[in-house]
Amino acid sequence: MANANLASTPPLGEAAIAPLLPPAHSKTSATGEKAATRWTLIAIAIGFLALFVLLPLGAVFAEAFRAGFGAYWEAVSEPDAVAAIKLTLLAAGIAVPANLVFGIAASWAIAKYEFRGKSLLNTLIDLPFSISPVISGLIYILLFGAQSVLGPFLREHGIEIVFALPGIVLATIFVTFPFIARELIPLMQEQGTAEEEAALTLGASGWRTFWHVTLPNIRWALLYGVILCNARAMGEFGAVSVVSGHIRGETNTMPLHVEILYNEYNFAAAFAVASLLALLALLTLIVKLVLEWLYADQIAGTRRH
Amino acid sequence: MTLAASAGRWRWKEPSVIPGFGLALGFSLTYLGLIVLLPLAALLLNAASLGWSGFWDIMLEPRTLAALRLSFLAALFAASVNAVFGLIIAWAFVRYDFPGRRLFDALVDLPFALPTAVAGIALTALYAPNGPIGGLLAPLGIKVAYTPLGIVIALIFIGLPFVVRTVQPVLEDLDKELEEAAATLGASRFRTLRSVILPALMPAILTGFTLALARAVGEYGSVIFIAGNIPYVSEIAPLLITIRLEEFNYAGATAIGAAMLMISFSLLLLIHLIQLWQRRRFTHG
């Protein structure tokens, strides 16, 4: 705009302004870099991302379709693959709602009240993020495995936790534990308690206040947390691998099925199943991006996880 | 807001008209206790039952030491690479406009969203001696897949978003007037970068670096496919835990697990200290 205006100003005005403008040959401002530096940095950034992110993503799909569409379809529709897909959906279907309820309860307690020990609770919620996935599985083996203190009791009562669905669900809940709470807490702290107090003053019950005042305020952040939580729940490998026991068709989730196929040198099939997980990741990123575009102000903007 | 000022006597909770405190906090604490704290306590109790000498016997085994050293050094190296390139990427996204910027910005989050096993086999396919990148490097005598270098590549992939996403918002908020002031006072662009911009970004870079490091030390899924998993050479500590479990050597798994937990907690503490330092630096006066 400034340039267009300058171009249309009469010669006299231009002459008056000219001494104030920086020399025409220099494109650098005091707080910018030379064009060469700028483009080098951009090239490094793009090159690094292409090499480390874009290329691996492309490799998944290239390898998946290397043996053709027929082989692809066969790999993702054979009974073991279907069983793995079903188990993954089931485990995520239990883990995500469980963490959703926790996320709402924890953020309600932390954001709406002042109490001692709050920052400790806040820190403890983040704990699973910093723990190795293998350890996240190991702890449940140590707690519920045959060798544990609880082991004989569980066996006597015929309760299977480790190497069965409950173990897989527990490990999945553990690794996705902070996701939803992490999105809700900063947002609800920012929103404060004034609206809830108004609703209560007007005679609404606690539940009604939650449903009609709080929930609409946090719905997009909630959805944002849920999709991130779901992506991790369906893709979790290390923790689930430790507790699953790798029983084909029974305790194999999709990532574990990928591993088995890969170790059997059945690469095309491994990448075919992997491509479904990669699609899920892409879908997650797209939804995340759309939510960030449309509702930036209603999402806490914790872009870290 | 402050507890001490509003109440003469000690009170653990501020009064509030909003209902549901007991239910929300009670449920949260129970869930946290059962899912997170109890199992972690089980690990620490199991480790404690080994006794000091039992614990150290396992820790000082050459294979354990080699695995822990590899996990830590590879993570350190990868996090350093991420700190440098993450800073450049964040800088390019915030300061420059170029075609495809939004697309690449969105792609930074892919390592968070892509399951680690998928990343692992994809990277192996690329860097294996017969793969597109491995094939280019093989004639030069560089082996990536099935060596510690492959582990570093995988750890760079999974750690990349941490530095970019911690530096980016700080860079966006950075006051351009400071740079203008530096330039007005005669500082060269490089001097401004070194004495004005970098110090302001340092806490964010360090936080991102430590987050990437913490993630990389414990990483498993993306590494085991590309690592080759040769004991003493390319066997990471989390993998050794799973090997000990398959051998029914629970003591071995527990000891290594407890040691890694301690490393994680130390890194977590470090992150908190960095953030504390950051807050103190920027809330001066």
Side-chain angles (χ1 to χ4, degrees):
Chain A
M1 277 302 273
N3 282 335
N5 285 339
L6 276 179
S8 62
T9 30
L12 189 70
E14 195 178 317
I17 289 171
L20 299 172
L21 294 172
H25 61 268
S26 156
K27 281 191 177 168
T28 8
S29 69
T31 56
E33 284 75 41
K34 287 195 197 82
T37 318
R38 196 164 63 224
W39 284 108
T40 311
L41 289 175
I42 291 173
I44 293 174
I46 290 181
F48 194 82
L49 285 171
L51 181 67
F52 278 96
V53 182
L54 211 50
L55 217 54
L57 183 66
V60 174
F61 292 101
E63 296 285 330
F65 288 105
R66 180 169 277 190
F69 278 95
Y72 182 92
W73 180 245
E74 204 176 302
V76 298
S77 62
E78 53 119 359
D80 284 346
V82 173
I85 294 170
K86 278 187 184 158
L87 182 61
T88 295
L89 292 175
L90 179 63
I94 301 170
V96 175
N99 281 337
L100 177 68
V101 174
F102 165 74
I104 292 174
S107 51
W108 185 265
I110 288 178
K112 303 290 180 196
Y113 305 94
E114 293 295 328
F115 59 94
R116 283 173 197 263
K118 191 155 104 166
S119 62
L120 177 68
L121 178 60
N122 223 338
T123 309
L124 287 177
I125 290 174
D126 272 339
L127 211 53
F129 270 152
S130 52
I131 291 173
S132 170
V134 169
I135 295 175
S136 312
L138 171 70
I139 54 178
Y140 290 106
I141 300 265
L142 294 177
L143 196 61
F144 297 119
Q147 84 301 334
S148 70
V149 184
L150 287 174
F153 172 83
L154 294 173
R155 196 169 48 240
E156 238 169 68
H157 293 79
I159 304 169
E160 280 189 326
I161 294 181
V162 162
F163 307 141
L165 180 66
I168 294 172
V169 171
L170 280 173
T172 307
I173 290 180
F174 184 94
V175 294
T176 58
F177 189 85
F179 275 93
I180 295 170
R182 206 31 59 225
E183 292 304 327
L184 293 185
I185 291 169
L187 180 74
M188 283 171 70
Q189 275 178 330
E190 210 174 281
Q191 289 174 343
T193 53
E195 290 186 33
E196 281 81 5
E197 279 161 4
L200 290 162
T201 312
L202 293 171
S205 70
W207 282 114
R208 186 139 183 238
T209 306
F210 173 75
W211 280 109
H212 294 282
V213 177
T214 311
L215 207 56
N217 277 339
I218 59 169
R219 61 189 161 177
W220 298 116
L222 203 63
L223 182 62
Y224 190 88
V226 164
I227 58 152
L228 294 187
C229 181
N230 179 63
R232 179 70 194 268
M234 289 191 174
E236 177 53 28
F237 176 71
V240 172
S241 159
V242 171
V243 295
S244 99
H246 301 269
I247 307 162
R248 236 182 141 130
E250 277 181 48
T251 62
N252 246 355
T253 61
M254 283 169 81
L256 299 181
H257 192 58
V258 169
E259 183 197 21
I260 289 190
L261 293 170
Y262 190 86
N263 288 341
E264 286 170 347
Y265 301 101
N266 193 351
F267 295 137
F271 278 101
V273 180
S275 74
L276 295 181
L277 289 167
L279 274 181
L280 170 75
L282 287 177
L283 200 68
T284 303
L285 285 188
I286 291 169
V287 177
K288 177 176 172 291
L289 215 60
V290 169
L291 287 177
E292 280 169 8
W293 267 336
L294 294 180
Y295 307 105
D297 53 328
Q298 296 174 51
I299 295 170
T302 45
R303 304 179 74 184
R304 233 174 59 196
H305 298 288
Chain B
M1 282 295 249
T2 48
L3 289 163
S6 57
R9 60 193 170 81
W10 192 91
R11 204 165 13 190
W12 84 281
K13 177 189 166 285
E14 286 285 280
S16 165
V17 294
I18 296 174
F21 177 71
L23 179 67
L25 189 69
F27 177 79
S28 301
L29 290 179
T30 311
Y31 191 80
L32 178 76
L34 288 179
I35 299 281
V36 178
L37 301 182
L38 181 69
L40 284 177
L43 172 62
L44 295 177
L45 278 177
N46 269 284
S49 71
L50 299 172
W52 267 118
S53 61
F55 178 77
W56 282 112
D57 281 348
I58 296 164
M59 292 314 293
L60 294 176
E61 271 174 35
R63 193 170 166 186
T64 314
L65 282 178
L68 281 171
R69 209 184 59 185
L70 175 67
S71 273
F72 198 74
L73 287 181
L76 206 60
F77 193 74
S80 308
V81 172
N82 278 332
V84 174
F85 285 92
L87 175 63
I88 294 176
I89 291 168
W91 181 270
F93 285 161
V94 174
R95 289 297 170 97
Y96 309 138
D97 202 13
F98 52 91
R101 186 174 62 101
R102 294 199 99 131
L103 178 77
F104 281 104
D105 192 8
L107 268 179
V108 169
D109 283 326
L110 188 78
F112 280 155
L114 195 69
T116 52
V118 178
I121 63 170
L123 289 170
T124 313
L126 287 173
Y127 287 94
N130 57 351
I133 300 179
L136 290 176
L137 296 173
L140 307 171
I142 304 169
K143 271 193 72 179
V144 178
Y146 320 125
T147 69
L149 191 55
I151 299 176
V152 173
I153 298 280
L155 296 182
I156 291 175
F157 174 83
I158 55 118
L160 175 70
F162 289 98
V163 178
V164 181
R165 293 297 184 232
T166 40
V167 173
Q168 217 172 358
V170 180
L171 198 53
E172 272 163 9
D173 289 343
L174 201 65
D175 205 344
K176 258 204 146 169
E177 280 173 21
L178 290 176
E179 289 169 53
E180 281 159 13
T184 315
L185 293 171
S188 69
R189 189 62 190 147
F190 181 74
R191 178 97 198 269
T192 308
L193 189 74
R194 208 193 50 187
S195 312
V196 176
I197 301 172
L198 269 185
L201 291 181
M202 212 23 115
I205 298 172
L206 279 177
T207 305
F209 170 83
T210 317
L211 284 169
L213 179 67
R215 171 74 202 267
V217 168
E219 176 58 20
Y220 176 73
S222 60
V223 173
I224 56 162
F225 296 98
I226 202 170
N229 307 328
I230 308 153
Y232 301 100
V233 179
S234 58
E235 184 180 70
I236 53 166
L239 177 70
L240 191 57
I241 294 178
T242 66
I243 291 174
R244 293 297 184 234
L245 275 178
E246 276 163 21
E247 295 167 351
F248 302 107
N249 180 355
Y250 294 103
T254 303
I256 305 168
M260 293 198 63
L261 202 62
M262 288 306 145
I263 296 175
S264 301
F265 286 168
S266 320
L267 291 173
L268 204 66
L269 190 68
L270 192 64
I271 293 169
H272 272 268
L273 289 177
I274 295 169
Q275 281 168 349
L276 209 67
W277 169 58
Q278 182 177 16
R279 224 167 291 151
R280 207 174 297 157
R281 267 186 63 190
F282 290 99
T283 49
H284 244 277

